[in-house]
Amino acid sequence: MKRFEIAVGIIRNQNAEIFLAQRSAGSHMANMWEFPGGKIEQGETPEQALERELMEEVGITPTGFSLFEKQEHQFPDRHVSLWFFLVEQWDGEPWGKEGQPSRWVAQQALEPEQFPPANAPVIAKLQQTA
Ligand SMILES: Nc1nc2c([nH]c(=O)n2[C@H]2C[C@H](O)[C@@H](COP(=O)(O)OP(=O)(O)OP(=O)(O)O)O2)c(=O)[nH]1
Ligand SMILES: [Mg+2]
């Protein structure tokens, strides 16, 4: 069984909107909406991976963030450990730097069925703690 450690950023602005990106057609969990992020590489801390992935995928440098939730999820073909960081300060303006569709959505309007199944608990927690 493949195992992956993933760092993702829940990028939240002062209007309580969250920046989402759409996963590409050929990827795992294709076409689902996600919090931007990706695999933690050998020798990287989760925080370093977050900084690298957010620059690669959405062109921002997170400057104020903290771990919000850690979630384990067993997919049919792989196990993922997700580090969900809440990012509330950053340099730059996020955009779909790799050509992926992206949008801001009000936190309370996030719909868990549009995300990979691993995200349901963290979305519930976000909406409860608003
Ligand atoms: N980015 C992201 N990935 C998520 C979320 N929820 C979730 O289950 N995942 C899963 C899907 C993937 O199996 C994995 C993320 O890997 P990825 O494909 O984004 O990895 P990466 O950016 O390093 O991409 P690559 O270089 O391997 O193509 O975590 C989420 O909210 N955001
Ligand atoms: Mg990614």
Side-chain angles (χ1 to χ4, degrees), residues 59-86:
I60 64 166
T61 300
T63 54
F65 58 87
S66 60
L67 186 63
F68 181 71
E69 186 66 291
K70 178 113 189 283
Q71 182 71 46
E72 304 290 328
H73 191 81
Q74 183 66 52
F75 289 95
D77 64 330
R78 69 190 71 193
H79 184 91
V80 297
S81 301
L82 287 149
W83 301 69
F84 289 98
F85 289 93
L86 186 58

PDB file of all heavy atoms in Angstrom, residues 59-86:
ATOM      1  N   GLY A  59       0.992  30.569  -6.085  1.00  0.00           N
ATOM      2  CA  GLY A  59       1.795  31.783  -6.166  1.00  0.00           C
ATOM      3  C   GLY A  59       1.797  32.677  -4.943  1.00  0.00           C
ATOM      4  O   GLY A  59       2.040  33.872  -5.060  1.00  0.00           O
ATOM      5  N   ILE A  60       1.542  32.123  -3.759  1.00  0.00           N
ATOM      6  CA  ILE A  60       1.627  32.949  -2.541  1.00  0.00           C
ATOM      7  C   ILE A  60       2.682  32.392  -1.586  1.00  0.00           C
ATOM      8  O   ILE A  60       3.027  31.206  -1.627  1.00  0.00           O
ATOM      9  CB  ILE A  60       0.284  33.048  -1.779  1.00  0.00           C
ATOM     10  CG1 ILE A  60      -0.179  31.680  -1.245  1.00  0.00           C
ATOM     11  CG2 ILE A  60      -0.783  33.698  -2.653  1.00  0.00           C
ATOM     12  CD1 ILE A  60      -1.296  31.771  -0.213  1.00  0.00           C
ATOM     13  N   THR A  61       3.161  33.274  -0.704  1.00  0.00           N
ATOM     14  CA  THR A  61       4.026  32.882   0.398  1.00  0.00           C
ATOM     15  C   THR A  61       3.232  33.033   1.687  1.00  0.00           C
ATOM     16  O   THR A  61       2.874  34.156   2.058  1.00  0.00           O
ATOM     17  CB  THR A  61       5.270  33.788   0.467  1.00  0.00           C
ATOM     18  OG1 THR A  61       5.983  33.664  -0.765  1.00  0.00           O
ATOM     19  CG2 THR A  61       6.186  33.391   1.619  1.00  0.00           C
ATOM     20  N   PRO A  62       2.900  31.912   2.345  1.00  0.00           N
ATOM     21  CA  PRO A  62       2.166  32.031   3.611  1.00  0.00           C
ATOM     22  C   PRO A  62       3.070  32.621   4.680  1.00  0.00           C
ATOM     23  O   PRO A  62       4.221  32.224   4.826  1.00  0.00           O
ATOM     24  CB  PRO A  62       1.775  30.585   3.931  1.00  0.00           C
ATOM     25  CG  PRO A  62       2.762  29.730   3.200  1.00  0.00           C
ATOM     26  CD  PRO A  62       3.185  30.520   1.993  1.00  0.00           C
ATOM     27  N   THR A  63       2.551  33.612   5.424  1.00  0.00           N
ATOM     28  CA  THR A  63       3.351  34.254   6.469  1.00  0.00           C
ATOM     29  C   THR A  63       2.732  34.059   7.850  1.00  0.00           C
ATOM     30  O   THR A  63       3.403  34.214   8.858  1.00  0.00           O
ATOM     31  CB  THR A  63       3.502  35.762   6.187  1.00  0.00           C
ATOM     32  OG1 THR A  63       2.195  36.325   6.027  1.00  0.00           O
ATOM     33  CG2 THR A  63       4.305  36.012   4.924  1.00  0.00           C
ATOM     34  N   GLY A  64       1.449  33.750   7.900  1.00  0.00           N
ATOM     35  CA  GLY A  64       0.788  33.495   9.185  1.00  0.00           C
ATOM     36  C   GLY A  64      -0.091  32.271   9.047  1.00  0.00           C
ATOM     37  O   GLY A  64      -1.084  32.299   8.311  1.00  0.00           O
ATOM     38  N   PHE A  65       0.312  31.158   9.690  1.00  0.00           N
ATOM     39  CA  PHE A  65      -0.467  29.926   9.554  1.00  0.00           C
ATOM     40  C   PHE A  65      -0.206  29.030  10.747  1.00  0.00           C
ATOM     41  O   PHE A  65       0.806  29.158  11.436  1.00  0.00           O
ATOM     42  CB  PHE A  65      -0.126  29.199   8.241  1.00  0.00           C
ATOM     43  CG  PHE A  65       1.320  28.830   8.068  1.00  0.00           C
ATOM     44  CD1 PHE A  65       1.822  27.633   8.562  1.00  0.00           C
ATOM     45  CD2 PHE A  65       2.194  29.684   7.403  1.00  0.00           C
ATOM     46  CE1 PHE A  65       3.151  27.283   8.386  1.00  0.00           C
ATOM     47  CE2 PHE A  65       3.531  29.336   7.231  1.00  0.00           C
ATOM     48  CZ  PHE A  65       4.008  28.141   7.727  1.00  0.00           C
ATOM     49  N   SER A  66      -1.149  28.140  11.009  1.00  0.00           N
ATOM     50  CA  SER A  66      -0.956  27.164  12.082  1.00  0.00           C
ATOM     51  C   SER A  66      -1.706  25.882  11.740  1.00  0.00           C
ATOM     52  O   SER A  66      -2.651  25.898  10.938  1.00  0.00           O
ATOM     53  CB  SER A  66      -1.453  27.724  13.416  1.00  0.00           C
ATOM     54  OG  SER A  66      -2.812  28.029  13.308  1.00  0.00           O
ATOM     55  N   LEU A  67      -1.255  24.792  12.346  1.00  0.00           N
ATOM     56  CA  LEU A  67      -1.879  23.497  12.084  1.00  0.00           C
ATOM     57  C   LEU A  67      -3.305  23.520  12.642  1.00  0.00           C
ATOM     58  O   LEU A  67      -3.513  23.818  13.815  1.00  0.00           O
ATOM     59  CB  LEU A  67      -1.061  22.379  12.734  1.00  0.00           C
ATOM     60  CG  LEU A  67      -1.525  20.959  12.402  1.00  0.00           C
ATOM     61  CD1 LEU A  67      -1.392  20.661  10.900  1.00  0.00           C
ATOM     62  CD2 LEU A  67      -0.728  19.937  13.207  1.00  0.00           C
ATOM     63  N   PHE A  68      -4.268  23.216  11.806  1.00  0.00           N
ATOM     64  CA  PHE A  68      -5.679  23.253  12.195  1.00  0.00           C
ATOM     65  C   PHE A  68      -6.195  21.844  12.494  1.00  0.00           C
ATOM     66  O   PHE A  68      -6.963  21.638  13.436  1.00  0.00           O
ATOM     67  CB  PHE A  68      -6.493  23.882  11.065  1.00  0.00           C
ATOM     68  CG  PHE A  68      -7.972  23.994  11.347  1.00  0.00           C
ATOM     69  CD1 PHE A  68      -8.450  24.910  12.277  1.00  0.00           C
ATOM     70  CD2 PHE A  68      -8.887  23.181  10.683  1.00  0.00           C
ATOM     71  CE1 PHE A  68      -9.813  25.014  12.541  1.00  0.00           C
ATOM     72  CE2 PHE A  68     -10.247  23.281  10.943  1.00  0.00           C
ATOM     73  CZ  PHE A  68     -10.714  24.194  11.874  1.00  0.00           C
ATOM     74  N   GLU A  69      -5.759  20.871  11.696  1.00  0.00           N
ATOM     75  CA  GLU A  69      -6.231  19.500  11.877  1.00  0.00           C
ATOM     76  C   GLU A  69      -5.283  18.545  11.163  1.00  0.00           C
ATOM     77  O   GLU A  69      -4.688  18.907  10.150  1.00  0.00           O
ATOM     78  CB  GLU A  69      -7.636  19.375  11.260  1.00  0.00           C
ATOM     79  CG  GLU A  69      -8.328  18.056  11.493  1.00  0.00           C
ATOM     80  CD  GLU A  69      -8.658  17.797  12.955  1.00  0.00           C
ATOM     81  OE1 GLU A  69      -7.704  17.588  13.736  1.00  0.00           O
ATOM     82  OE2 GLU A  69      -9.840  17.809  13.309  1.00  0.00           O
ATOM     83  N   LYS A  70      -5.148  17.366  11.721  1.00  0.00           N
ATOM     84  CA  LYS A  70      -4.386  16.303  11.048  1.00  0.00           C
ATOM     85  C   LYS A  70      -5.365  15.168  10.838  1.00  0.00           C
ATOM     86  O   LYS A  70      -6.109  14.799  11.751  1.00  0.00           O
ATOM     87  CB  LYS A  70      -3.233  15.888  11.960  1.00  0.00           C
ATOM     88  CG  LYS A  70      -2.397  14.766  11.410  1.00  0.00           C
ATOM     89  CD  LYS A  70      -0.998  15.209  11.055  1.00  0.00           C
ATOM     90  CE  LYS A  70      -0.297  14.089  10.297  1.00  0.00           C
ATOM     91  NZ  LYS A  70       0.158  13.007  11.191  1.00  0.00           N
ATOM     92  N   GLN A  71      -5.398  14.636   9.607  1.00  0.00           N
ATOM     93  CA  GLN A  71      -6.399  13.626   9.268  1.00  0.00           C
ATOM     94  C   GLN A  71      -5.742  12.457   8.542  1.00  0.00           C
ATOM     95  O   GLN A  71      -4.996  12.662   7.592  1.00  0.00           O
ATOM     96  CB  GLN A  71      -7.451  14.268   8.349  1.00  0.00           C
ATOM     97  CG  GLN A  71      -8.585  13.371   7.940  1.00  0.00           C
ATOM     98  CD  GLN A  71      -9.520  13.093   9.097  1.00  0.00           C
ATOM     99  OE1 GLN A  71      -9.909  14.002   9.817  1.00  0.00           O
ATOM    100  NE2 GLN A  71      -9.848  11.827   9.296  1.00  0.00           N
ATOM    101  N   GLU A  72      -6.038  11.251   8.994  1.00  0.00           N
ATOM    102  CA  GLU A  72      -5.594  10.046   8.277  1.00  0.00           C
ATOM    103  C   GLU A  72      -6.752   9.584   7.405  1.00  0.00           C
ATOM    104  O   GLU A  72      -7.905   9.624   7.833  1.00  0.00           O
ATOM    105  CB  GLU A  72      -5.278   8.923   9.271  1.00  0.00           C
ATOM    106  CG  GLU A  72      -4.257   9.281  10.330  1.00  0.00           C
ATOM    107  CD  GLU A  72      -2.859   9.425   9.774  1.00  0.00           C
ATOM    108  OE1 GLU A  72      -2.528   8.712   8.793  1.00  0.00           O
ATOM    109  OE2 GLU A  72      -2.108  10.273  10.288  1.00  0.00           O
ATOM    110  N   HIS A  73      -6.442   9.148   6.187  1.00  0.00           N
ATOM    111  CA  HIS A  73      -7.516   8.600   5.353  1.00  0.00           C
ATOM    112  C   HIS A  73      -7.019   7.438   4.509  1.00  0.00           C
ATOM    113  O   HIS A  73      -5.973   7.528   3.870  1.00  0.00           O
ATOM    114  CB  HIS A  73      -8.119   9.670   4.451  1.00  0.00           C
ATOM    115  CG  HIS A  73      -9.377   9.207   3.778  1.00  0.00           C
ATOM    116  ND1 HIS A  73     -10.600   9.206   4.409  1.00  0.00           N
ATOM    117  CD2 HIS A  73      -9.587   8.681   2.548  1.00  0.00           C
ATOM    118  CE1 HIS A  73     -11.513   8.700   3.590  1.00  0.00           C
ATOM    119  NE2 HIS A  73     -10.928   8.384   2.453  1.00  0.00           N
ATOM    120  N   GLN A  74      -7.791   6.380   4.529  1.00  0.00           N
ATOM    121  CA  GLN A  74      -7.490   5.195   3.728  1.00  0.00           C
ATOM    122  C   GLN A  74      -8.337   5.231   2.456  1.00  0.00           C
ATOM    123  O   GLN A  74      -9.558   5.088   2.525  1.00  0.00           O
ATOM    124  CB  GLN A  74      -7.831   3.950   4.571  1.00  0.00           C
ATOM    125  CG  GLN A  74      -7.505   2.643   3.897  1.00  0.00           C
ATOM    126  CD  GLN A  74      -6.013   2.469   3.709  1.00  0.00           C
ATOM    127  OE1 GLN A  74      -5.225   2.603   4.641  1.00  0.00           O
ATOM    128  NE2 GLN A  74      -5.613   2.170   2.479  1.00  0.00           N
ATOM    129  N   PHE A  75      -7.684   5.458   1.318  1.00  0.00           N
ATOM    130  CA  PHE A  75      -8.367   5.327   0.029  1.00  0.00           C
ATOM    131  C   PHE A  75      -8.213   3.879  -0.413  1.00  0.00           C
ATOM    132  O   PHE A  75      -7.396   3.140   0.149  1.00  0.00           O
ATOM    133  CB  PHE A  75      -7.704   6.253  -1.008  1.00  0.00           C
ATOM    134  CG  PHE A  75      -7.962   7.721  -0.781  1.00  0.00           C
ATOM    135  CD1 PHE A  75      -7.041   8.503  -0.067  1.00  0.00           C
ATOM    136  CD2 PHE A  75      -9.109   8.323  -1.267  1.00  0.00           C
ATOM    137  CE1 PHE A  75      -7.276   9.856   0.137  1.00  0.00           C
ATOM    138  CE2 PHE A  75      -9.340   9.686  -1.060  1.00  0.00           C
ATOM    139  CZ  PHE A  75      -8.427  10.445  -0.363  1.00  0.00           C
ATOM    140  N   PRO A  76      -8.954   3.434  -1.432  1.00  0.00           N
ATOM    141  CA  PRO A  76      -8.817   2.029  -1.876  1.00  0.00           C
ATOM    142  C   PRO A  76      -7.371   1.646  -2.220  1.00  0.00           C
ATOM    143  O   PRO A  76      -6.936   0.533  -1.947  1.00  0.00           O
ATOM    144  CB  PRO A  76      -9.709   1.960  -3.120  1.00  0.00           C
ATOM    145  CG  PRO A  76     -10.731   3.031  -2.910  1.00  0.00           C
ATOM    146  CD  PRO A  76     -10.022   4.139  -2.160  1.00  0.00           C
ATOM    147  N   ASP A  77      -6.616   2.585  -2.805  1.00  0.00           N
ATOM    148  CA  ASP A  77      -5.281   2.241  -3.310  1.00  0.00           C
ATOM    149  C   ASP A  77      -4.142   2.921  -2.558  1.00  0.00           C
ATOM    150  O   ASP A  77      -2.989   2.757  -2.943  1.00  0.00           O
ATOM    151  CB  ASP A  77      -5.185   2.641  -4.784  1.00  0.00           C
ATOM    152  CG  ASP A  77      -5.303   4.155  -4.967  1.00  0.00           C
ATOM    153  OD1 ASP A  77      -5.980   4.810  -4.144  1.00  0.00           O
ATOM    154  OD2 ASP A  77      -4.705   4.677  -5.913  1.00  0.00           O
ATOM    155  N   ARG A  78      -4.434   3.723  -1.534  1.00  0.00           N
ATOM    156  CA  ARG A  78      -3.352   4.444  -0.852  1.00  0.00           C
ATOM    157  C   ARG A  78      -3.810   4.948   0.513  1.00  0.00           C
ATOM    158  O   ARG A  78      -5.006   5.101   0.747  1.00  0.00           O
ATOM    159  CB  ARG A  78      -2.890   5.640  -1.701  1.00  0.00           C
ATOM    160  CG  ARG A  78      -3.908   6.754  -1.791  1.00  0.00           C
ATOM    161  CD  ARG A  78      -3.506   7.789  -2.826  1.00  0.00           C
ATOM    162  NE  ARG A  78      -3.629   7.260  -4.177  1.00  0.00           N
ATOM    163  CZ  ARG A  78      -3.134   7.829  -5.262  1.00  0.00           C
ATOM    164  NH1 ARG A  78      -2.455   8.952  -5.171  1.00  0.00           N
ATOM    165  NH2 ARG A  78      -3.298   7.296  -6.442  1.00  0.00           N
ATOM    166  N   HIS A  79      -2.817   5.200   1.383  1.00  0.00           N
ATOM    167  CA  HIS A  79      -3.108   5.814   2.674  1.00  0.00           C
ATOM    168  C   HIS A  79      -2.507   7.207   2.666  1.00  0.00           C
ATOM    169  O   HIS A  79      -1.350   7.382   2.309  1.00  0.00           O
ATOM    170  CB  HIS A  79      -2.490   4.978   3.808  1.00  0.00           C
ATOM    171  CG  HIS A  79      -2.832   5.515   5.158  1.00  0.00           C
ATOM    172  ND1 HIS A  79      -3.930   5.100   5.864  1.00  0.00           N
ATOM    173  CD2 HIS A  79      -2.236   6.466   5.903  1.00  0.00           C
ATOM    174  CE1 HIS A  79      -3.987   5.773   7.002  1.00  0.00           C
ATOM    175  NE2 HIS A  79      -2.970   6.613   7.058  1.00  0.00           N
ATOM    176  N   VAL A  80      -3.302   8.216   3.053  1.00  0.00           N
ATOM    177  CA  VAL A  80      -2.750   9.572   3.130  1.00  0.00           C
ATOM    178  C   VAL A  80      -2.880  10.124   4.544  1.00  0.00           C
ATOM    179  O   VAL A  80      -3.861   9.879   5.236  1.00  0.00           O
ATOM    180  CB  VAL A  80      -3.408  10.559   2.132  1.00  0.00           C
ATOM    181  CG1 VAL A  80      -3.162  10.143   0.690  1.00  0.00           C
ATOM    182  CG2 VAL A  80      -4.877  10.724   2.386  1.00  0.00           C
ATOM    183  N   SER A  81      -1.837  10.839   4.952  1.00  0.00           N
ATOM    184  CA  SER A  81      -1.859  11.621   6.192  1.00  0.00           C
ATOM    185  C   SER A  81      -1.882  13.079   5.767  1.00  0.00           C
ATOM    186  O   SER A  81      -0.941  13.547   5.118  1.00  0.00           O
ATOM    187  CB  SER A  81      -0.603  11.381   7.015  1.00  0.00           C
ATOM    188  OG  SER A  81      -0.477  10.028   7.334  1.00  0.00           O
ATOM    189  N   LEU A  82      -2.962  13.753   6.094  1.00  0.00           N
ATOM    190  CA  LEU A  82      -3.140  15.138   5.645  1.00  0.00           C
ATOM    191  C   LEU A  82      -2.898  16.098   6.799  1.00  0.00           C
ATOM    192  O   LEU A  82      -3.504  15.962   7.869  1.00  0.00           O
ATOM    193  CB  LEU A  82      -4.567  15.319   5.121  1.00  0.00           C
ATOM    194  CG  LEU A  82      -4.848  14.661   3.770  1.00  0.00           C
ATOM    195  CD1 LEU A  82      -6.302  14.221   3.666  1.00  0.00           C
ATOM    196  CD2 LEU A  82      -4.531  15.635   2.636  1.00  0.00           C
ATOM    197  N   TRP A  83      -2.030  17.060   6.578  1.00  0.00           N
ATOM    198  CA  TRP A  83      -1.770  18.148   7.525  1.00  0.00           C
ATOM    199  C   TRP A  83      -2.507  19.361   6.987  1.00  0.00           C
ATOM    200  O   TRP A  83      -2.093  19.942   5.976  1.00  0.00           O
ATOM    201  CB  TRP A  83      -0.270  18.440   7.607  1.00  0.00           C
ATOM    202  CG  TRP A  83       0.595  17.308   8.040  1.00  0.00           C
ATOM    203  CD1 TRP A  83       0.865  16.164   7.326  1.00  0.00           C
ATOM    204  CD2 TRP A  83       1.318  17.203   9.274  1.00  0.00           C
ATOM    205  NE1 TRP A  83       1.713  15.357   8.061  1.00  0.00           N
ATOM    206  CE2 TRP A  83       2.007  15.967   9.244  1.00  0.00           C
ATOM    207  CE3 TRP A  83       1.460  18.037  10.388  1.00  0.00           C
ATOM    208  CZ2 TRP A  83       2.824  15.551  10.298  1.00  0.00           C
ATOM    209  CZ3 TRP A  83       2.276  17.626  11.435  1.00  0.00           C
ATOM    210  CH2 TRP A  83       2.940  16.394  11.389  1.00  0.00           C
ATOM    211  N   PHE A  84      -3.588  19.737   7.632  1.00  0.00           N
ATOM    212  CA  PHE A  84      -4.387  20.885   7.197  1.00  0.00           C
ATOM    213  C   PHE A  84      -3.941  22.121   7.983  1.00  0.00           C
ATOM    214  O   PHE A  84      -4.160  22.207   9.194  1.00  0.00           O
ATOM    215  CB  PHE A  84      -5.869  20.647   7.473  1.00  0.00           C
ATOM    216  CG  PHE A  84      -6.521  19.607   6.589  1.00  0.00           C
ATOM    217  CD1 PHE A  84      -6.685  18.305   7.041  1.00  0.00           C
ATOM    218  CD2 PHE A  84      -6.988  19.930   5.323  1.00  0.00           C
ATOM    219  CE1 PHE A  84      -7.306  17.345   6.245  1.00  0.00           C
ATOM    220  CE2 PHE A  84      -7.605  18.979   4.521  1.00  0.00           C
ATOM    221  CZ  PHE A  84      -7.766  17.685   4.989  1.00  0.00           C
ATOM    222  N   PHE A  85      -3.345  23.073   7.288  1.00  0.00           N
ATOM    223  CA  PHE A  85      -2.932  24.326   7.926  1.00  0.00           C
ATOM    224  C   PHE A  85      -3.958  25.415   7.607  1.00  0.00           C
ATOM    225  O   PHE A  85      -4.398  25.543   6.455  1.00  0.00           O
ATOM    226  CB  PHE A  85      -1.568  24.778   7.396  1.00  0.00           C
ATOM    227  CG  PHE A  85      -0.431  23.918   7.867  1.00  0.00           C
ATOM    228  CD1 PHE A  85       0.012  22.836   7.103  1.00  0.00           C
ATOM    229  CD2 PHE A  85       0.206  24.180   9.079  1.00  0.00           C
ATOM    230  CE1 PHE A  85       1.056  22.035   7.539  1.00  0.00           C
ATOM    231  CE2 PHE A  85       1.263  23.379   9.521  1.00  0.00           C
ATOM    232  CZ  PHE A  85       1.679  22.303   8.749  1.00  0.00           C
ATOM    233  N   LEU A  86      -4.321  26.190   8.612  1.00  0.00           N
ATOM    234  CA  LEU A  86      -5.164  27.367   8.388  1.00  0.00           C
ATOM    235  C   LEU A  86      -4.225  28.539   8.105  1.00  0.00           C
ATOM    236  O   LEU A  86      -3.377  28.884   8.946  1.00  0.00           O
ATOM    237  CB  LEU A  86      -6.035  27.632   9.614  1.00  0.00           C
ATOM    238  CG  LEU A  86      -7.070  28.742   9.473  1.00  0.00           C
ATOM    239  CD1 LEU A  86      -8.042  28.474   8.323  1.00  0.00           C
ATOM    240  CD2 LEU A  86      -7.846  28.893  10.786  1.00  0.00           C
TER     241      LEU A  86
END
